[in-house]
PDB file of all heavy atoms in Angstrom:
ATOM      1  N   VAL A   1       7.004  -0.550  -7.710  1.00 98.00           N
ATOM      2  CA  VAL A   1       7.771  -0.622  -6.461  1.00 98.00           C
ATOM      3  C   VAL A   1       8.769  -1.773  -6.584  1.00 98.00           C
ATOM      4  O   VAL A   1       8.446  -2.805  -7.172  1.00 98.00           O
ATOM      5  CB  VAL A   1       6.839  -0.889  -5.243  1.00 98.00           C
ATOM      6  CG1 VAL A   1       7.639  -1.064  -3.961  1.00 98.00           C
ATOM      7  CG2 VAL A   1       5.835   0.235  -5.065  1.00 98.00           C
ATOM      8  N   ASP A   2       9.954  -1.606  -6.023  1.00 98.00           N
ATOM      9  CA  ASP A   2      10.944  -2.687  -5.979  1.00 98.00           C
ATOM     10  C   ASP A   2      10.303  -3.913  -5.308  1.00 98.00           C
ATOM     11  O   ASP A   2       9.819  -3.827  -4.177  1.00 98.00           O
ATOM     12  CB  ASP A   2      12.151  -2.206  -5.172  1.00 98.00           C
ATOM     13  CG  ASP A   2      13.266  -3.240  -5.053  1.00 98.00           C
ATOM     14  OD1 ASP A   2      13.039  -4.420  -5.390  1.00 98.00           O
ATOM     15  OD2 ASP A   2      14.365  -2.858  -4.616  1.00 98.00           O
ATOM     16  N   PRO A   3      10.278  -5.073  -5.990  1.00 97.00           N
ATOM     17  CA  PRO A   3       9.665  -6.274  -5.396  1.00 97.00           C
ATOM     18  C   PRO A   3      10.248  -6.643  -4.037  1.00 97.00           C
ATOM     19  O   PRO A   3       9.531  -7.181  -3.182  1.00 97.00           O
ATOM     20  CB  PRO A   3       9.957  -7.361  -6.431  1.00 97.00           C
ATOM     21  CG  PRO A   3      10.108  -6.620  -7.723  1.00 97.00           C
ATOM     22  CD  PRO A   3      10.745  -5.307  -7.359  1.00 97.00           C
ATOM     23  N   SER A   4      11.512  -6.327  -3.815  1.00 98.00           N
ATOM     24  CA  SER A   4      12.113  -6.638  -2.511  1.00 98.00           C
ATOM     25  C   SER A   4      11.528  -5.766  -1.406  1.00 98.00           C
ATOM     26  O   SER A   4      11.439  -6.189  -0.247  1.00 98.00           O
ATOM     27  CB  SER A   4      13.631  -6.467  -2.563  1.00 98.00           C
ATOM     28  OG  SER A   4      14.208  -7.454  -3.406  1.00 98.00           O
ATOM     29  N   ALA A   5      11.131  -4.541  -1.759  1.00 98.00           N
ATOM     30  CA  ALA A   5      10.467  -3.677  -0.774  1.00 98.00           C
ATOM     31  C   ALA A   5       9.107  -4.263  -0.404  1.00 98.00           C
ATOM     32  O   ALA A   5       8.679  -4.186   0.752  1.00 98.00           O
ATOM     33  CB  ALA A   5      10.301  -2.268  -1.344  1.00 98.00           C
ATOM     34  N   VAL A   6       8.432  -4.855  -1.390  1.00 98.00           N
ATOM     35  CA  VAL A   6       7.134  -5.493  -1.143  1.00 98.00           C
ATOM     36  C   VAL A   6       7.303  -6.651  -0.154  1.00 98.00           C
ATOM     37  O   VAL A   6       6.554  -6.780   0.823  1.00 98.00           O
ATOM     38  CB  VAL A   6       6.513  -6.005  -2.469  1.00 98.00           C
ATOM     39  CG1 VAL A   6       5.229  -6.788  -2.197  1.00 98.00           C
ATOM     40  CG2 VAL A   6       6.236  -4.839  -3.406  1.00 98.00           C
ATOM     41  N   GLU A   7       8.304  -7.485  -0.404  1.00 98.00           N
ATOM     42  CA  GLU A   7       8.572  -8.622   0.479  1.00 98.00           C
ATOM     43  C   GLU A   7       8.936  -8.135   1.884  1.00 98.00           C
ATOM     44  O   GLU A   7       8.465  -8.688   2.892  1.00 98.00           O
ATOM     45  CB  GLU A   7       9.718  -9.460  -0.095  1.00 98.00           C
ATOM     46  CG  GLU A   7      10.062 -10.673   0.748  1.00 98.00           C
ATOM     47  CD  GLU A   7      11.354 -11.362   0.308  1.00 98.00           C
ATOM     48  OE1 GLU A   7      12.262 -10.663  -0.212  1.00 98.00           O
ATOM     49  OE2 GLU A   7      11.458 -12.574   0.492  1.00 98.00           O
ATOM     50  N   PHE A   8       9.750  -7.088   1.972  1.00 98.00           N
ATOM     51  CA  PHE A   8      10.192  -6.529   3.251  1.00 98.00           C
ATOM     52  C   PHE A   8       8.995  -6.045   4.074  1.00 98.00           C
ATOM     53  O   PHE A   8       8.858  -6.377   5.260  1.00 98.00           O
ATOM     54  CB  PHE A   8      11.167  -5.373   2.988  1.00 98.00           C
ATOM     55  CG  PHE A   8      11.665  -4.680   4.220  1.00 98.00           C
ATOM     56  CD1 PHE A   8      12.738  -5.202   4.935  1.00 98.00           C
ATOM     57  CD2 PHE A   8      11.072  -3.509   4.674  1.00 98.00           C
ATOM     58  CE1 PHE A   8      13.201  -4.565   6.081  1.00 98.00           C
ATOM     59  CE2 PHE A   8      11.529  -2.868   5.813  1.00 98.00           C
ATOM     60  CZ  PHE A   8      12.595  -3.394   6.528  1.00 98.00           C
ATOM     61  N   VAL A   9       8.103  -5.260   3.442  1.00 98.00           N
ATOM     62  CA  VAL A   9       6.927  -4.729   4.138  1.00 98.00           C
ATOM     63  C   VAL A   9       6.001  -5.859   4.578  1.00 98.00           C
ATOM     64  O   VAL A   9       5.492  -5.863   5.702  1.00 98.00           O
ATOM     65  CB  VAL A   9       6.159  -3.726   3.235  1.00 98.00           C
ATOM     66  CG1 VAL A   9       4.823  -3.338   3.864  1.00 98.00           C
ATOM     67  CG2 VAL A   9       6.998  -2.481   2.983  1.00 98.00           C
ATOM     68  N   ALA A  10       5.793  -6.838   3.692  1.00 98.00           N
ATOM     69  CA  ALA A  10       4.910  -7.960   4.020  1.00 98.00           C
ATOM     70  C   ALA A  10       5.405  -8.713   5.257  1.00 98.00           C
ATOM     71  O   ALA A  10       4.616  -9.066   6.147  1.00 98.00           O
ATOM     72  CB  ALA A  10       4.805  -8.905   2.826  1.00 98.00           C
ATOM     73  N   LYS A  11       6.710  -8.960   5.314  1.00 98.00           N
ATOM     74  CA  LYS A  11       7.274  -9.674   6.462  1.00 98.00           C
ATOM     75  C   LYS A  11       7.153  -8.855   7.738  1.00 98.00           C
ATOM     76  O   LYS A  11       6.792  -9.373   8.798  1.00 98.00           O
ATOM     77  CB  LYS A  11       8.742 -10.017   6.188  1.00 98.00           C
ATOM     78  CG  LYS A  11       8.930 -11.181   5.223  1.00 98.00           C
ATOM     79  CD  LYS A  11      10.403 -11.475   5.000  1.00 98.00           C
ATOM     80  CE  LYS A  11      10.586 -12.693   4.084  1.00 98.00           C
ATOM     81  NZ  LYS A  11      12.018 -12.937   3.797  1.00 98.00           N
ATOM     82  N   LYS A  12       7.469  -7.561   7.659  1.00 98.00           N
ATOM     83  CA  LYS A  12       7.423  -6.688   8.829  1.00 98.00           C
ATOM     84  C   LYS A  12       6.003  -6.563   9.379  1.00 98.00           C
ATOM     85  O   LYS A  12       5.791  -6.478  10.585  1.00 98.00           O
ATOM     86  CB  LYS A  12       7.980  -5.302   8.483  1.00 98.00           C
ATOM     87  CG  LYS A  12       9.482  -5.259   8.281  1.00 98.00           C
ATOM     88  CD  LYS A  12      10.208  -5.456   9.602  1.00 98.00           C
ATOM     89  CE  LYS A  12      11.718  -5.313   9.451  1.00 98.00           C
ATOM     90  NZ  LYS A  12      12.421  -5.563  10.739  1.00 98.00           N
ATOM     91  N   LYS A  13       5.016  -6.528   8.500  1.00 98.00           N
ATOM     92  CA  LYS A  13       3.634  -6.351   8.917  1.00 98.00           C
ATOM     93  C   LYS A  13       2.905  -7.680   9.122  1.00 98.00           C
ATOM     94  O   LYS A  13       1.752  -7.703   9.562  1.00 98.00           O
ATOM     95  CB  LYS A  13       2.878  -5.488   7.904  1.00 98.00           C
ATOM     96  CG  LYS A  13       3.286  -4.011   7.945  1.00 98.00           C
ATOM     97  CD  LYS A  13       2.361  -3.154   7.118  1.00 98.00           C
ATOM     98  CE  LYS A  13       2.548  -1.679   7.424  1.00 98.00           C
ATOM     99  NZ  LYS A  13       1.963  -1.278   8.730  1.00 98.00           N
ATOM    100  N   GLY A  14       3.566  -8.786   8.766  1.00 98.00           N
ATOM    101  CA  GLY A  14       2.944 -10.096   8.930  1.00 98.00           C
ATOM    102  C   GLY A  14       1.807 -10.350   7.963  1.00 98.00           C
ATOM    103  O   GLY A  14       0.851 -11.071   8.273  1.00 98.00           O
ATOM    104  N   PHE A  15       1.901  -9.737   6.763  1.00 98.00           N
ATOM    105  CA  PHE A  15       0.851  -9.899   5.766  1.00 98.00           C
ATOM    106  C   PHE A  15       0.986 -11.212   5.007  1.00 98.00           C
ATOM    107  O   PHE A  15       2.089 -11.649   4.687  1.00 98.00           O
ATOM    108  CB  PHE A  15       0.909  -8.763   4.732  1.00 98.00           C
ATOM    109  CG  PHE A  15       0.429  -7.419   5.228  1.00 98.00           C
ATOM    110  CD1 PHE A  15       0.829  -6.252   4.580  1.00 98.00           C
ATOM    111  CD2 PHE A  15      -0.441  -7.313   6.301  1.00 98.00           C
ATOM    112  CE1 PHE A  15       0.386  -5.016   5.007  1.00 98.00           C
ATOM    113  CE2 PHE A  15      -0.888  -6.074   6.737  1.00 98.00           C
ATOM    114  CZ  PHE A  15      -0.468  -4.918   6.091  1.00 98.00           C
ATOM    115  N   THR A  16      -0.142 -11.800   4.663  1.00 98.00           N
ATOM    116  CA  THR A  16      -0.162 -12.892   3.681  1.00 98.00           C
ATOM    117  C   THR A  16      -0.002 -12.252   2.307  1.00 98.00           C
ATOM    118  O   THR A  16      -0.189 -11.030   2.147  1.00 98.00           O
ATOM    119  CB  THR A  16      -1.503 -13.646   3.725  1.00 98.00           C
ATOM    120  OG1 THR A  16      -2.543 -12.748   3.312  1.00 98.00           O
ATOM    121  CG2 THR A  16      -1.787 -14.195   5.114  1.00 98.00           C
ATOM    122  N   PRO A  17       0.305 -13.053   1.260  1.00 95.00           N
ATOM    123  CA  PRO A  17       0.396 -12.473  -0.087  1.00 95.00           C
ATOM    124  C   PRO A  17      -0.881 -11.721  -0.495  1.00 95.00           C
ATOM    125  O   PRO A  17      -0.809 -10.636  -1.076  1.00 95.00           O
ATOM    126  CB  PRO A  17       0.640 -13.693  -0.976  1.00 95.00           C
ATOM    127  CG  PRO A  17       1.376 -14.650  -0.088  1.00 95.00           C
ATOM    128  CD  PRO A  17       0.769 -14.462   1.262  1.00 95.00           C
ATOM    129  N   ASP A  18      -2.052 -12.296  -0.178  1.00 92.00           N
ATOM    130  CA  ASP A  18      -3.314 -11.632  -0.536  1.00 92.00           C
ATOM    131  C   ASP A  18      -3.483 -10.321   0.213  1.00 92.00           C
ATOM    132  O   ASP A  18      -3.966  -9.324  -0.342  1.00 92.00           O
ATOM    133  CB  ASP A  18      -4.507 -12.551  -0.228  1.00 92.00           C
ATOM    134  CG  ASP A  18      -4.656 -13.668  -1.256  1.00 92.00           C
ATOM    135  OD1 ASP A  18      -3.976 -13.606  -2.305  1.00 92.00           O
ATOM    136  OD2 ASP A  18      -5.439 -14.603  -1.007  1.00 92.00           O
ATOM    137  N   GLU A  19      -3.090 -10.301   1.475  1.00 97.00           N
ATOM    138  CA  GLU A  19      -3.192  -9.066   2.271  1.00 97.00           C
ATOM    139  C   GLU A  19      -2.244  -7.997   1.745  1.00 97.00           C
ATOM    140  O   GLU A  19      -2.588  -6.808   1.693  1.00 97.00           O
ATOM    141  CB  GLU A  19      -2.886  -9.363   3.740  1.00 97.00           C
ATOM    142  CG  GLU A  19      -3.995 -10.131   4.445  1.00 97.00           C
ATOM    143  CD  GLU A  19      -3.591 -10.628   5.824  1.00 97.00           C
ATOM    144  OE1 GLU A  19      -2.365 -10.742   6.104  1.00 97.00           O
ATOM    145  OE2 GLU A  19      -4.500 -10.942   6.624  1.00 97.00           O
ATOM    146  N   MET A  20      -1.048  -8.401   1.307  1.00 97.00           N
ATOM    147  CA  MET A  20      -0.094  -7.443   0.762  1.00 97.00           C
ATOM    148  C   MET A  20      -0.593  -6.882  -0.559  1.00 97.00           C
ATOM    149  O   MET A  20      -0.456  -5.689  -0.843  1.00 97.00           O
ATOM    150  CB  MET A  20       1.283  -8.112   0.579  1.00 97.00           C
ATOM    151  CG  MET A  20       2.391  -7.124   0.230  1.00 97.00           C
ATOM    152  SD  MET A  20       2.692  -5.925   1.556  1.00 97.00           S
ATOM    153  CE  MET A  20       3.386  -4.544   0.625  1.00 97.00           C
ATOM    154  N   THR A  21      -1.203  -7.749  -1.383  1.00 93.00           N
ATOM    155  CA  THR A  21      -1.767  -7.297  -2.656  1.00 93.00           C
ATOM    156  C   THR A  21      -2.869  -6.265  -2.420  1.00 93.00           C
ATOM    157  O   THR A  21      -2.928  -5.232  -3.089  1.00 93.00           O
ATOM    158  CB  THR A  21      -2.327  -8.493  -3.451  1.00 93.00           C
ATOM    159  OG1 THR A  21      -1.244  -9.372  -3.753  1.00 93.00           O
ATOM    160  CG2 THR A  21      -2.962  -8.045  -4.761  1.00 93.00           C
ATOM    161  N   ALA A  22      -3.725  -6.547  -1.450  1.00 92.00           N
ATOM    162  CA  ALA A  22      -4.802  -5.605  -1.117  1.00 92.00           C
ATOM    163  C   ALA A  22      -4.222  -4.289  -0.591  1.00 92.00           C
ATOM    164  O   ALA A  22      -4.726  -3.199  -0.905  1.00 92.00           O
ATOM    165  CB  ALA A  22      -5.735  -6.218  -0.076  1.00 92.00           C
ATOM    166  N   TYR A  23      -3.164  -4.375   0.210  1.00 96.00           N
ATOM    167  CA  TYR A  23      -2.490  -3.194   0.770  1.00 96.00           C
ATOM    168  C   TYR A  23      -1.965  -2.290  -0.352  1.00 96.00           C
ATOM    169  O   TYR A  23      -2.108  -1.067  -0.306  1.00 96.00           O
ATOM    170  CB  TYR A  23      -1.341  -3.674   1.655  1.00 96.00           C
ATOM    171  CG  TYR A  23      -0.675  -2.641   2.527  1.00 96.00           C
ATOM    172  CD1 TYR A  23      -1.370  -1.986   3.536  1.00 96.00           C
ATOM    173  CD2 TYR A  23       0.681  -2.352   2.367  1.00 96.00           C
ATOM    174  CE1 TYR A  23      -0.739  -1.068   4.361  1.00 96.00           C
ATOM    175  CE2 TYR A  23       1.324  -1.438   3.191  1.00 96.00           C
ATOM    176  CZ  TYR A  23       0.602  -0.789   4.189  1.00 96.00           C
ATOM    177  OH  TYR A  23       1.237   0.116   5.009  1.00 96.00           O
ATOM    178  N   MET A  24      -1.381  -2.896  -1.381  1.00 95.00           N
ATOM    179  CA  MET A  24      -0.817  -2.124  -2.495  1.00 95.00           C
ATOM    180  C   MET A  24      -1.894  -1.602  -3.441  1.00 95.00           C
ATOM    181  O   MET A  24      -1.724  -0.551  -4.057  1.00 95.00           O
ATOM    182  CB  MET A  24       0.188  -2.979  -3.273  1.00 95.00           C
ATOM    183  CG  MET A  24       1.429  -3.335  -2.479  1.00 95.00           C
ATOM    184  SD  MET A  24       2.692  -4.149  -3.501  1.00 95.00           S
ATOM    185  CE  MET A  24       1.878  -5.698  -3.868  1.00 95.00           C
ATOM    186  N   ASN A  25      -2.998  -2.337  -3.548  1.00 91.00           N
ATOM    187  CA  ASN A  25      -4.055  -1.945  -4.481  1.00 91.00           C
ATOM    188  C   ASN A  25      -5.070  -0.984  -3.893  1.00 91.00           C
ATOM    189  O   ASN A  25      -5.625  -0.148  -4.612  1.00 91.00           O
ATOM    190  CB  ASN A  25      -4.807  -3.190  -4.976  1.00 91.00           C
ATOM    191  CG  ASN A  25      -4.166  -3.804  -6.208  1.00 91.00           C
ATOM    192  OD1 ASN A  25      -4.250  -3.262  -7.293  1.00 91.00           O
ATOM    193  ND2 ASN A  25      -3.519  -4.940  -6.023  1.00 91.00           N
ATOM    194  N   LYS A  26      -5.326  -1.109  -2.579  1.00 90.00           N
ATOM    195  CA  LYS A  26      -6.456  -0.381  -2.002  1.00 90.00           C
ATOM    196  C   LYS A  26      -6.101   0.629  -0.910  1.00 90.00           C
ATOM    197  O   LYS A  26      -6.910   1.465  -0.554  1.00 90.00           O
ATOM    198  CB  LYS A  26      -7.477  -1.381  -1.440  1.00 90.00           C
ATOM    199  CG  LYS A  26      -8.071  -2.285  -2.522  1.00 90.00           C
ATOM    200  CD  LYS A  26      -9.050  -3.285  -1.945  1.00 90.00           C
ATOM    201  CE  LYS A  26      -9.629  -4.161  -3.052  1.00 90.00           C
ATOM    202  NZ  LYS A  26     -10.565  -5.195  -2.505  1.00 90.00           N
ATOM    203  N   GLN A  27      -4.857   0.544  -0.389  1.00 95.00           N
ATOM    204  CA  GLN A  27      -4.497   1.441   0.711  1.00 95.00           C
ATOM    205  C   GLN A  27      -3.265   2.283   0.410  1.00 95.00           C
ATOM    206  O   GLN A  27      -2.750   2.965   1.291  1.00 95.00           O
ATOM    207  CB  GLN A  27      -4.249   0.618   1.980  1.00 95.00           C
ATOM    208  CG  GLN A  27      -5.472  -0.155   2.456  1.00 95.00           C
ATOM    209  CD  GLN A  27      -5.150  -1.028   3.659  1.00 95.00           C
ATOM    210  OE1 GLN A  27      -4.558  -0.579   4.637  1.00 95.00           O
ATOM    211  NE2 GLN A  27      -5.527  -2.300   3.581  1.00 95.00           N
ATOM    212  N   SER A  28      -2.801   2.238  -0.821  1.00 96.00           N
ATOM    213  CA  SER A  28      -1.564   2.929  -1.179  1.00 96.00           C
ATOM    214  C   SER A  28      -1.850   4.144  -2.068  1.00 96.00           C
ATOM    215  O   SER A  28      -2.905   4.750  -1.966  1.00 96.00           O
ATOM    216  CB  SER A  28      -0.616   1.933  -1.862  1.00 96.00           C
ATOM    217  OG  SER A  28      -0.329   0.851  -0.993  1.00 96.00           O
ATOM    218  N   GLY A  29      -0.902   4.497  -2.929  1.00 97.00           N
ATOM    219  CA  GLY A  29      -1.115   5.598  -3.860  1.00 97.00           C
ATOM    220  C   GLY A  29      -1.387   6.931  -3.190  1.00 97.00           C
ATOM    221  O   GLY A  29      -0.839   7.239  -2.130  1.00 97.00           O
ATOM    222  N   PHE A  30      -2.260   7.735  -3.810  1.00 96.00           N
ATOM    223  CA  PHE A  30      -2.599   9.058  -3.273  1.00 96.00           C
ATOM    224  C   PHE A  30      -3.051   8.932  -1.812  1.00 96.00           C
ATOM    225  O   PHE A  30      -2.652   9.713  -0.951  1.00 96.00           O
ATOM    226  CB  PHE A  30      -3.746   9.702  -4.059  1.00 96.00           C
ATOM    227  CG  PHE A  30      -3.453  10.012  -5.507  1.00 96.00           C
ATOM    228  CD1 PHE A  30      -2.234   9.719  -6.096  1.00 96.00           C
ATOM    229  CD2 PHE A  30      -4.428  10.613  -6.291  1.00 96.00           C
ATOM    230  CE1 PHE A  30      -1.991  10.011  -7.427  1.00 96.00           C
ATOM    231  CE2 PHE A  30      -4.197  10.909  -7.627  1.00 96.00           C
ATOM    232  CZ  PHE A  30      -2.978  10.605  -8.199  1.00 96.00           C
ATOM    233  N   LEU A  31      -3.927   7.933  -1.571  1.00 96.00           N
ATOM    234  CA  LEU A  31      -4.492   7.743  -0.237  1.00 96.00           C
ATOM    235  C   LEU A  31      -3.415   7.409   0.784  1.00 96.00           C
ATOM    236  O   LEU A  31      -3.343   8.028   1.861  1.00 96.00           O
ATOM    237  CB  LEU A  31      -5.537   6.621  -0.277  1.00 96.00           C
ATOM    238  CG  LEU A  31      -6.174   6.226   1.060  1.00 96.00           C
ATOM    239  CD1 LEU A  31      -6.966   7.388   1.651  1.00 96.00           C
ATOM    240  CD2 LEU A  31      -7.078   5.009   0.886  1.00 96.00           C
ATOM    241  N   GLY A  32      -2.574   6.454   0.443  1.00 98.00           N
ATOM    242  CA  GLY A  32      -1.558   6.001   1.385  1.00 98.00           C
ATOM    243  C   GLY A  32      -0.482   7.033   1.670  1.00 98.00           C
ATOM    244  O   GLY A  32      -0.058   7.206   2.821  1.00 98.00           O
ATOM    245  N   VAL A  33      -0.035   7.730   0.629  1.00 98.00           N
ATOM    246  CA  VAL A  33       1.040   8.715   0.810  1.00 98.00           C
ATOM    247  C   VAL A  33       0.521   9.980   1.492  1.00 98.00           C
ATOM    248  O   VAL A  33       1.165  10.529   2.383  1.00 98.00           O
ATOM    249  CB  VAL A  33       1.703   9.064  -0.545  1.00 98.00           C
ATOM    250  CG1 VAL A  33       2.762  10.159  -0.358  1.00 98.00           C
ATOM    251  CG2 VAL A  33       2.348   7.819  -1.165  1.00 98.00           C
ATOM    252  N   SER A  34      -0.661  10.437   1.081  1.00 97.00           N
ATOM    253  CA  SER A  34      -1.187  11.689   1.634  1.00 97.00           C
ATOM    254  C   SER A  34      -1.819  11.499   3.005  1.00 97.00           C
ATOM    255  O   SER A  34      -1.798  12.411   3.842  1.00 97.00           O
ATOM    256  CB  SER A  34      -2.244  12.287   0.697  1.00 97.00           C
ATOM    257  OG  SER A  34      -3.446  11.533   0.731  1.00 97.00           O
ATOM    258  N   GLY A  35      -2.411  10.310   3.222  1.00 97.00           N
ATOM    259  CA  GLY A  35      -3.151  10.102   4.456  1.00 97.00           C
ATOM    260  C   GLY A  35      -4.466  10.854   4.473  1.00 97.00           C
ATOM    261  O   GLY A  35      -5.150  10.924   5.505  1.00 97.00           O
ATOM    262  N   ILE A  36      -4.853  11.404   3.308  1.00 95.00           N
ATOM    263  CA  ILE A  36      -6.047  12.259   3.237  1.00 95.00           C
ATOM    264  C   ILE A  36      -7.142  11.641   2.379  1.00 95.00           C
ATOM    265  O   ILE A  36      -8.271  11.432   2.820  1.00 95.00           O
ATOM    266  CB  ILE A  36      -5.693  13.647   2.637  1.00 95.00           C
ATOM    267  CG1 ILE A  36      -4.723  14.381   3.552  1.00 95.00           C
ATOM    268  CG2 ILE A  36      -6.953  14.481   2.405  1.00 95.00           C
ATOM    269  CD1 ILE A  36      -4.118  15.603   2.919  1.00 95.00           C
ATOM    270  N   SER A  37      -6.810  11.350   1.118  1.00 94.00           N
ATOM    271  CA  SER A  37      -7.832  10.957   0.154  1.00 94.00           C
ATOM    272  C   SER A  37      -7.198  10.306  -1.055  1.00 94.00           C
ATOM    273  O   SER A  37      -6.012  10.500  -1.335  1.00 94.00           O
ATOM    274  CB  SER A  37      -8.618  12.208  -0.288  1.00 94.00           C
ATOM    275  OG  SER A  37      -9.515  11.909  -1.342  1.00 94.00           O
ATOM    276  N   SER A  38      -8.023   9.546  -1.797  1.00 93.00           N
ATOM    277  CA  SER A  38      -7.578   8.974  -3.071  1.00 93.00           C
ATOM    278  C   SER A  38      -7.971   9.875  -4.235  1.00 93.00           C
ATOM    279  O   SER A  38      -7.620   9.598  -5.377  1.00 93.00           O
ATOM    280  CB  SER A  38      -8.207   7.590  -3.272  1.00 93.00           C
ATOM    281  OG  SER A  38      -9.623   7.700  -3.340  1.00 93.00           O
ATOM    282  N   ASP A  39      -8.705  10.953  -3.955  1.00 93.00           N
ATOM    283  CA  ASP A  39      -9.225  11.854  -4.986  1.00 93.00           C
ATOM    284  C   ASP A  39      -8.257  13.008  -5.229  1.00 93.00           C
ATOM    285  O   ASP A  39      -7.911  13.737  -4.285  1.00 93.00           O
ATOM    286  CB  ASP A  39     -10.594  12.388  -4.568  1.00 93.00           C
ATOM    287  CG  ASP A  39     -11.333  13.087  -5.698  1.00 93.00           C
ATOM    288  OD1 ASP A  39     -10.742  14.005  -6.321  1.00 93.00           O
ATOM    289  OD2 ASP A  39     -12.493  12.731  -5.968  1.00 93.00           O
ATOM    290  N   ASN A  40      -7.854  13.181  -6.481  1.00 94.00           N
ATOM    291  CA  ASN A  40      -6.881  14.222  -6.808  1.00 94.00           C
ATOM    292  C   ASN A  40      -7.362  15.612  -6.432  1.00 94.00           C
ATOM    293  O   ASN A  40      -6.561  16.489  -6.084  1.00 94.00           O
ATOM    294  CB  ASN A  40      -6.545  14.168  -8.305  1.00 94.00           C
ATOM    295  CG  ASN A  40      -5.484  15.197  -8.697  1.00 94.00           C
ATOM    296  OD1 ASN A  40      -4.347  15.123  -8.250  1.00 94.00           O
ATOM    297  ND2 ASN A  40      -5.875  16.185  -9.500  1.00 94.00           N
ATOM    298  N   ARG A  41      -8.667  15.854  -6.493  1.00 93.00           N
ATOM    299  CA  ARG A  41      -9.196  17.179  -6.134  1.00 93.00           C
ATOM    300  C   ARG A  41      -8.908  17.494  -4.668  1.00 93.00           C
ATOM    301  O   ARG A  41      -8.523  18.630  -4.333  1.00 93.00           O
ATOM    302  CB  ARG A  41     -10.703  17.241  -6.421  1.00 93.00           C
ATOM    303  CG  ARG A  41     -11.031  17.230  -7.906  1.00 93.00           C
ATOM    304  CD  ARG A  41     -12.493  16.943  -8.174  1.00 93.00           C
ATOM    305  NE  ARG A  41     -12.846  15.564  -7.818  1.00 93.00           N
ATOM    306  CZ  ARG A  41     -13.988  14.984  -8.155  1.00 93.00           C
ATOM    307  NH1 ARG A  41     -14.892  15.649  -8.842  1.00 93.00           N
ATOM    308  NH2 ARG A  41     -14.237  13.732  -7.789  1.00 93.00           N
ATOM    309  N   ASP A  42      -9.060  16.488  -3.811  1.00 94.00           N
ATOM    310  CA  ASP A  42      -8.749  16.684  -2.388  1.00 94.00           C
ATOM    311  C   ASP A  42      -7.255  16.875  -2.182  1.00 94.00           C
ATOM    312  O   ASP A  42      -6.831  17.680  -1.343  1.00 94.00           O
ATOM    313  CB  ASP A  42      -9.219  15.473  -1.579  1.00 94.00           C
ATOM    314  CG  ASP A  42     -10.724  15.260  -1.661  1.00 94.00           C
ATOM    315  OD1 ASP A  42     -11.457  16.249  -1.865  1.00 94.00           O
ATOM    316  OD2 ASP A  42     -11.163  14.091  -1.530  1.00 94.00           O
ATOM    317  N   ILE A  43      -6.465  16.145  -2.964  1.00 96.00           N
ATOM    318  CA  ILE A  43      -5.000  16.253  -2.869  1.00 96.00           C
ATOM    319  C   ILE A  43      -4.548  17.660  -3.257  1.00 96.00           C
ATOM    320  O   ILE A  43      -3.737  18.288  -2.566  1.00 96.00           O
ATOM    321  CB  ILE A  43      -4.303  15.214  -3.777  1.00 96.00           C
ATOM    322  CG1 ILE A  43      -4.659  13.776  -3.364  1.00 96.00           C
ATOM    323  CG2 ILE A  43      -2.789  15.425  -3.782  1.00 96.00           C
ATOM    324  CD1 ILE A  43      -4.204  13.377  -1.981  1.00 96.00           C
TER     325      ILE A  43
END
């Protein structure tokens, strides 16, 4: 992801650096985009 997009989202959501890292690592990807699951079979 463009690092500037990361900074933009963090500021808008009021995230600390650790919270933003967790957001990108644990709430994004298949899960974040689909809103359904992190499992490809469900996707």
Side-chain angles (χ1 to χ4, degrees):
V1 176
D2 180 348
S4 292
V6 174
E7 180 190 30
F8 178 83
V9 171
K11 284 180 177 177
K12 288 290 184 182
K13 288 190 166 286
F15 287 159
T16 65
D18 284 349
E19 287 170 339
M20 189 64 205
T21 297
Y23 191 63
M24 294 188 292
N25 272 287
K26 297 179 180 178
Q27 298 176 49
S28 301
F30 296 1
L31 176 63
V33 176
S34 72
I36 296 168
S37 173
S38 62
D39 192 307
N40 182 64
R41 291 166 292 192
D42 298 332
I43 298 297

